[in-house]
Amino acid sequence: MSHKSAKDFFRPLAVGAPLPLREIPARPSRAIHFFDPSNEKMAAKIPAMVGTVDVLLGNLEDAIKADNKVAAREGLVRIAQSTDFGPTQLWTRINALDSPWVLDDLTTLVPAIGDKLDVIMVPKVQGAEDIHYVDRILAQLEAKAGLERPILIHAILETARGVANVEEICGASPRMQGLSLGPADLAADRKMKTTRVGGGHPGYLVREDAPRDADGGFRYDADRFRFQQDLWHYTMAKMVDACATHGIYPYWGPFGDIKDTVACEDQFRNAFLLGCVGAWSLHPVQIEIANRVFSPSVEDIAHARRVVAAMGDGTGAVMIDGKMEDDASLKQCLVLVELAEELAAIDPVLKATYDAIETPEA
Ligand SMILES: CC(C)(COP(=O)(O)OP(=O)(O)OC[C@H]1O[C@@H](n2cnc3c(N)ncnc32)[C@H](O)[C@@H]1OP(=O)(O)O)[C@@H](O)C(=O)NCCC(=O)NCCSC(=O)C[C@H](O)C(=O)O
Ligand SMILES: [Mg+2]
């Protein structure tokens, strides 16, 4: 595979297109809230959701009926043109690159609402070639529309080949903003034997060893603990490493069991702890879960600030509550403190909560 030279990497791909960004801005994106712009009831709710969610995403791909594809695209244009999004980002998910709709998605959206669109989510990305294709078209459309800032690209990791190529996907363009894990399509593509959208499976487990009976034989029929395992751990960790390597952002995707808010919270928290910055919300009830889970807790910030204060110039080692802290744990604490600062800048309630934490003297 041929790579661009370093000097060409940050050149615009079309004459007149905006300069690519050298750093992807760390904008809060705890919940990427999906809505169907062709669904009038849903669409009517969007203006009032501005400011309550970090990202509103007009979905054009799966979950939109084929007969409604054009209405969804036109609905998104209408909503974007008539709404002031304030601090909330506007994203869209375009149709798959091999679908009959994607070219019209791009050629309609960029001229009409390119100045309002922050990120375009591209589904079923297989390799760098898919990103290169969208990258060039976006540059041409941006140049034609006279846009002043580049629209970023977010890829969904939802094919086995995409997972195998995750590193080259992350590094394919300076437009790459992040990746989401799409568990439903990925399960199908891998021929996993599940029927769910995210979450675990009661059959994917590890069982406690069989106890022995008095004769030393094994009692295989005894009641034994079973521990459900995480179907997604490998892929999520691989995605997080690839994103961190390339300075872009990883996200958990959807959790389809809307009523099971407890398991949704678990799924989101696993993602948060492993390095993801957000997850998708499919229903209004999932926004609060994502906003809470992907914001550092008061306890974590209180502890992190203590470590920062105790570590002074950042070198050496100290004991806090019986635990050794050094520059490696300090760096972890700074991740949380910096995230809290970014979130406080857009969320006044969170700011008041973090401000109220007693901070130790340095
Ligand atoms: C999941 C839903 C179909 C549920 O809709 P519904 O049955 O209408 O739910 P409720 O009756 O509880 O709704 C209550 C009210 O809230 C409004 N509503 C519902 N969802 C949304 C929303 N996302 N945004 C805004 N408003 C919403 C309803 O209209 C009700 O309003 P009212 O009657 O006035 O009180 C539905 O939530 C839905 O379609 N969600 C989005 C689904 C989606 O986008 N799916 C695609 C992403 S997941 C995916 O693609 C898989 C992935 O790619 C992979 O491969 O893993
Ligand atoms: Mg999908």
Side-chain angles (χ1 to χ4, degrees):
M1 172 186 167
S2 70
H3 291 279
K4 277 190 211 169
S5 68
K7 73 178 168 39
D8 286 338
F9 192 69
F10 290 103
R11 288 229 170 103
L13 289 180
V15 174
L19 275 182
L21 300 182
R22 285 183 173 261
E23 293 276 344
I24 300 301
R27 295 188 66 186
S29 42
R30 295 164 291 182
I32 302 171
H33 182 71
F34 275 58
F35 66 93
D36 172 356
S38 72
N39 177 323
E40 280 178 22
K41 246 169 51 173
M42 244 189 239
K45 292 190 162 45
I46 298 309
M49 293 176 85
V50 167
T52 68
V53 60
D54 295 340
V55 178
L56 283 163
L57 179 145
N59 180 29
L60 306 183
E61 198 225 8
D62 294 355
I64 308 300
K65 285 175 84 62
D67 287 350
N68 288 345
K69 292 289 185 186
V70 175
R73 192 189 297 134
E74 287 171 356
L76 178 58
V77 169
R78 236 182 350 264
I79 293 166
Q81 286 175 339
S82 59
T83 306
D84 176 357
F85 288 91
T88 298
Q89 296 181 59
L90 177 66
W91 294 21
T92 185
R93 177 170 78 170
I94 56 172
N95 283 289
L97 298 182
D98 60 355
S99 75
W101 304 290
V102 66
L103 195 59
D104 289 341
D105 290 345
L106 289 167
T107 56
T108 304
L109 296 180
V110 177
I113 58 169
D115 56 334
K116 290 208 160 168
L117 268 181
D118 292 291
V119 176
I120 290 183
M121 189 182 267
V122 184
K124 302 176 179 70
V125 170
Q126 302 269 21
E129 72 281 7
D130 289 341
I131 303 301
H132 294 160
Y133 172 78
V134 178
D135 198 7
R136 180 76 75 173
I137 293 195
L138 284 180
Q140 291 167 339
L141 292 170
E142 286 167 345
K144 196 167 170 201
L147 297 186
E148 287 172 5
R149 67 180 171 103
I151 299 170
L152 301 180
I153 298 177
H154 180 107
I156 316 181
L157 208 54
E158 51 185 353
T159 67
R161 187 149 88 80
V163 175
N165 292 333
V166 63
E167 302 238 358
E168 66 167 44
I169 291 170
C170 290
S173 160
R175 286 184 201 272
M176 283 300 299
Q177 179 275 342
L179 292 185
S180 285
L181 198 160
D185 271 301
L186 182 55
D189 194 59
R190 281 177 171 162
K191 301 195 175 10
M192 289 166 64
K193 308 303 180 292
T194 52
T195 56
R196 302 162 174 219
V197 178
H201 192 287
Y204 193 72
L205 53 81
V206 171
R207 191 181 300 262
E208 187 188 18
D209 283 1
R212 288 183 186 268
D213 59 22
D215 305 331
F218 288 107
R219 287 199 295 114
Y220 294 113
D221 60 352
D223 239 359
R224 293 185 259 162
F225 286 118
R226 295 179 301 277
F227 305 93
Q228 218 171 293
Q229 304 293 298
D230 182 358
L231 288 162
W232 306 109
H233 179 76
Y234 154 77
T235 315
M236 192 144 64
K238 188 169 171 157
M239 174 180 78
V240 167
D241 281 348
C243 287
T245 302
H246 289 275
I248 69 173
Y249 299 99
Y251 299 76
W252 174 258
F255 189 83
D257 193 342
I258 307 288
K259 298 272 181 235
D260 194 350
T261 52
V262 176
C264 175
E265 178 164 342
D266 292 337
Q267 180 92 75
F268 287 4
R269 183 161 291 106
N270 287 350
F272 175 66
L273 288 170
L274 214 58
C276 292
V277 298
W280 301 2
S281 139
L282 304 184
H283 186 279
V285 76
Q286 294 183 334
I287 294 175
E288 184 277 331
I289 303 172
N291 283 353
R292 179 162 39 82
V293 170
F294 287 97
S295 304
S297 67
V298 166
E299 294 73 29
D300 279 347
I301 292 304
H303 174 73
R305 287 185 188 164
R306 274 181 80 196
V307 174
V308 172
M311 280 297 294
D313 72 356
T315 61
V318 294
M319 285 284 275
I320 295 183
D321 297 339
K323 298 193 179 78
M324 187 280 298
E325 309 284 351
D326 65 3
D327 70 331
S329 55
L330 171 66
K331 280 186 269 182
Q332 294 174 61
C333 291
L334 288 173
V335 168
L336 289 165
V337 169
E338 282 162 17
L339 176 58
E341 283 167 5
E342 284 157 15
L343 295 173
I346 60 139
D347 185 332
V349 176
L350 213 47
K351 177 171 167 27
T353 307
Y354 292 144
D355 283 352
I357 301 171
E358 250 177 66
T359 306
E361 294 295 311

